[in-house]
Amino acid sequence: MSIYRIAHLSDPHLPPPRGAFGWKDVFTKRLLSRIAWRKKRKVHRPEVLAALVADVKAAGPDHVVISGDLTNFASHTEIAAATKWLESLGPASDCTVSPGNHDALSDKGRAGAGGGERFAPWTPWLGDADEVQFPQVRVRGPVAIFNLCSAVPTAPHLATGRLGEDQLQRLDKALADPAYKDLFRLVVLHHPPHKGAVSKRKSLDDQEALRALLAKHGADLILHGHAHETIIGSVPGPRGSAIPVLGVPSASSGRGGHSPARWHVIEVEAKPQGGHNARIVVRGVEADGDGLSELGRYSLADVA
């Protein structure tokens, strides 16, 4: 049986290009984000992100998943710069992006509820529908990627997420679709779907509604970012089963302030008797330098 390999990284927080913050932003939430960035820029290091991306490319995964926060202020200048960065990773058909709260920030549109014109430049990376809509389902090899968007504008000092009723209704139908029942069903969003992963001011507002759908229909794995640290957890699946949940630290984080940068390789292999085996390979910043190496590996069955 062949192995399909998915790379998961998150929260790169690309350095803001010149012009990313203008005088009009003084009257928006972007001012607070700019103040915060003056501290965070010592944590989010371009050279660490470059090393991590080089490590991903050297591994040659079949598909790359990025679970949000490519930008810091969600300005049009940043979105454009992030688009160029995505283009540098390879074909858009081989990379799926789920936007994060920093990618929405103070946008008037509600990305999680189906709007989000700001994400239009990222359309080729959101899915195969050639439009900004969520969820989108991408079938790649033995994997069905259910790409969600929890990124919505929030009030100052909040970093919550929301999927919205419309998106949840569409997800209900997508998870129930028999076309995907024999595939490895991978759900991707920015905010953790389980309780206690982050503080309330950073949590997913409608996480209970999402968990209800997952308990009803099931899934094989959920990937997220947002917490800036490695998180291994689970949410209830059908008939008392558990669905593994994995989060990774920021892809640009050096040592200090956050967990050092890591990324995961998810190796999916179909079993002869049906179903799938999945293994996780953890790669990240070495303890004694900025290089990256393998930090461990485990079976997904051990998580659930």
Side-chain angles (χ1 to χ4, degrees):
M1 294 289 181
S2 61
I3 296 175
Y4 193 84
R5 300 166 70 243
I6 296 175
H8 175 218
L9 59 137
S10 193
D11 300 77
H13 288 282
L14 298 168
R18 185 180 297 275
F21 185 88
W23 68 267
K24 293 182 179 179
D25 296 323
V26 171
F27 306 103
T28 71
K29 186 179 176 181
R30 292 194 182 100
L31 175 61
L32 294 176
S33 292
R34 185 173 186 269
I35 294 172
W37 173 252
R38 294 176 68 88
K39 299 177 182 178
K40 293 179 181 179
R41 65 184 177 184
K42 296 180 180 180
V43 174
H44 297 293
R45 295 164 49 187
E47 68 273 18
V48 172
L49 178 59
L52 186 143
V53 169
D55 197 52
V56 172
K57 288 184 176 180
D62 297 293
H63 199 81
V64 176
V65 168
I66 305 174
S67 50
D69 278 3
L70 280 67
T71 70
N72 300 283
F73 316 137
S75 68
H76 291 289
T77 304
E78 277 191 298
I79 294 291
T83 303
K84 291 185 177 297
W85 180 76
L86 287 171
E87 290 171 345
S88 73
L89 300 181
S93 58
D94 294 337
C95 180
T96 297
V97 172
S98 175
N101 58 291
H102 275 273
D103 302 321
L105 205 66
S106 61
D107 194 329
K108 295 180 181 179
R110 292 187 176 183
E117 292 77 7
R118 184 174 299 278
F119 301 141
W122 297 353
T123 298
W125 292 272
L126 303 180
D128 299 330
D130 198 28
E131 61 179 314
V132 180
Q133 67 175 40
F134 298 97
Q136 292 202 46
V137 186
R138 289 184 130 172
V139 175
R140 298 292 187 270
V143 181
I145 303 171
F146 293 77
N147 190 25
L148 311 182
C149 182
S150 59
V152 292
T154 57
H157 305 295
L158 290 179
T160 52
R162 185 175 63 255
L163 297 170
E165 184 176 349
D166 290 345
Q167 185 177 182
L168 287 168
Q169 288 179 354
R170 290 192 292 270
L171 178 62
D172 188 9
K173 294 179 180 179
L175 287 172
D177 193 329
Y180 310 124
K181 71 180 182 65
D182 294 327
L183 298 175
F184 184 89
R185 295 186 296 172
L186 177 67
V187 177
V188 182
L189 73 165
H190 181 66
H191 291 76
H194 51 316
K195 295 180 180 178
V198 291
S199 64
K200 187 174 181 180
R201 75 174 190 86
K202 296 182 178 181
S203 64
L204 183 67
D205 288 341
D206 45 9
Q207 59 179 265
E208 291 186 7
L210 173 60
R211 288 197 299 270
L213 290 182
L214 293 169
K216 175 182 176 183
H217 299 294
D220 294 286
L221 176 62
I222 303 167
L223 301 179
H224 70 84
H226 192 49
H228 288 202
E229 60 184 68
T230 300
I231 293 181
I232 301 176
S234 65
V235 296
R239 297 175 294 281
S241 64
I243 303 171
V245 179
L246 299 179
V248 291
S250 164
S252 60
S253 180
R255 294 185 308 278
H258 295 294
S259 298
R262 290 186 180 184
W263 67 282
H264 290 161
V265 185
I266 299 100
E267 299 180 341
V268 180
E269 183 178 23
K271 295 189 291 187
Q273 67 273 28
H276 300 84
N277 289 317
R279 292 173 295 274
I280 309 298
V281 180
V282 183
R283 296 189 61 82
V285 172
E286 298 169 351
D288 57 353
D290 288 337
L292 279 83
S293 63
E294 183 175 320
L295 303 178
R297 57 177 61 205
Y298 56 90
S299 171
L300 196 59
D302 297 333
V303 177

